[in-house]
Amino acid sequence: MKYYINEIKATGTIAVDDTLLVKDVPATAGSRMLEGFKPLFNAEVVDRLLSAGYELSGKTNVGEFGLDLLGETSYFTDDDKALKGAAAALVADGKIKAAINVDLNGAPRRGAAVSGVDFIKPTYGTVSRYGVIACACSGETVGVTAKNAEDIKEILTVIAGNDKKDGTSLPAEKYEYSLSEDVSSMKLCVINELYDKASDEIKAKIDAYVTALQSKGAKVERISLDLVAAAQTAWQILMAAETTNNLSRFDGVKYGYRTPEYKNIDELYVKSRTEAFSFLTKATIIYGSDVLAKDKYESCYDKSLRLRRVIVDKVKELLAAYDAIIAPACSKLSYEKYDLNDAFAKVYEESVFTAIPSVTGLPAMVTGGVQLIADSFKESTLLSIAHCVEKEEA
């Protein structure tokens, strides 16, 4: 897979997804629609990294608008059979210290699990989304990929904090994170409905992680959570509806791809979007348009909004009894190239593992091939768990 869309500096140690803006560096979001587009300003997280003295290595390849599994729908991808998240692969190879990713539908979490590195999706609103090529604003979150919890803590501390330019940014000016919470006193749970959907290799990863935590004195229980399927469906409806709205501005008029032959404005819109968007993006837009239609708005979109509130309440109730949830980040640890006409179904199927943090805005961390989920602002709990296990494995 082509890892960089644009390389910026050979000595740079931090890469950023191509869904984040870097001034005067092309930003494509993996789409032909944005080929050649150069932003006039930096994303807030980029400015914070540069101000802290970090150098950017380049813009990493992503699936079109971050909608897919592991970057396979990027217009700029190559023909490798194996699918890997570009940023996670670069971190795993030791080419960079860390990468900044936009988690829309779980792709950075899957990438971290496949490549054997760490990724954190922090609490929604703690890291600025200013300068993100928006797709599903109510769930997409800027996170960090690195080799270990120490590096994630370092970078997350730099980029987190209020940004007045971002209307979804939470008010705290700064967030402090810790690696030293007492894991021996923690109580965690494994969700049966997610565990049972995973492959044997993923189950083995979770079993080994549970054993490691138990050896530290932590208590781990198996539980049932009956809202797993509801969270998956609600997030896919909300995500598709918001994607439909946000991508409507890409029409071949102001910037980006424009079809070379058209007879009128309607044909310009239709042909430009048809030729520039991948099958998955078009399918998501059509699905989003359908759930927003007048005869389905209340039964689909509005119901999903109300269901999101129920899911948040129930998961927070669960996390009042447990310090964290242990779950798969994906169904398996390797993915092969597939017919992209099946992408919509493939992505929906995999989204069951990542939907709960996406729809609730709760923090999630992938480490050791497993996913940890905690209550809002409990990133230190996730980092401490990961650090505790990583110290033993070092």
Side-chain angles (χ1 to χ4, degrees), residues 60 64 151 185 244 269 282 372 390:
T60 45
E64 191 171 47
D151 289 346
S185 65
T244 298
Y269 291 160
K282 286 184 279 194
L372 306 171
E390 288 169 353

Side-chain angles (χ1 to χ4, degrees), residues 327-342:
C330 46
S331 66
K332 51 191 175 182
L333 286 177
S334 63
Y335 292 81
E336 297 296 318
K337 192 172 179 180
Y338 62 91
D339 185 343
L340 292 182
N341 289 327
D342 297 328

Side-chain angles (χ1 to χ4, degrees), residues 257 259 261-262 266-276:
Y257 177 81
T259 185
E261 296 182 10
Y262 57 92
D266 288 339
E267 192 170 293
L268 167 64
Y269 291 160
V270 171
K271 290 184 69 176
S272 294
R273 289 165 67 82
T274 299
E275 293 166 13

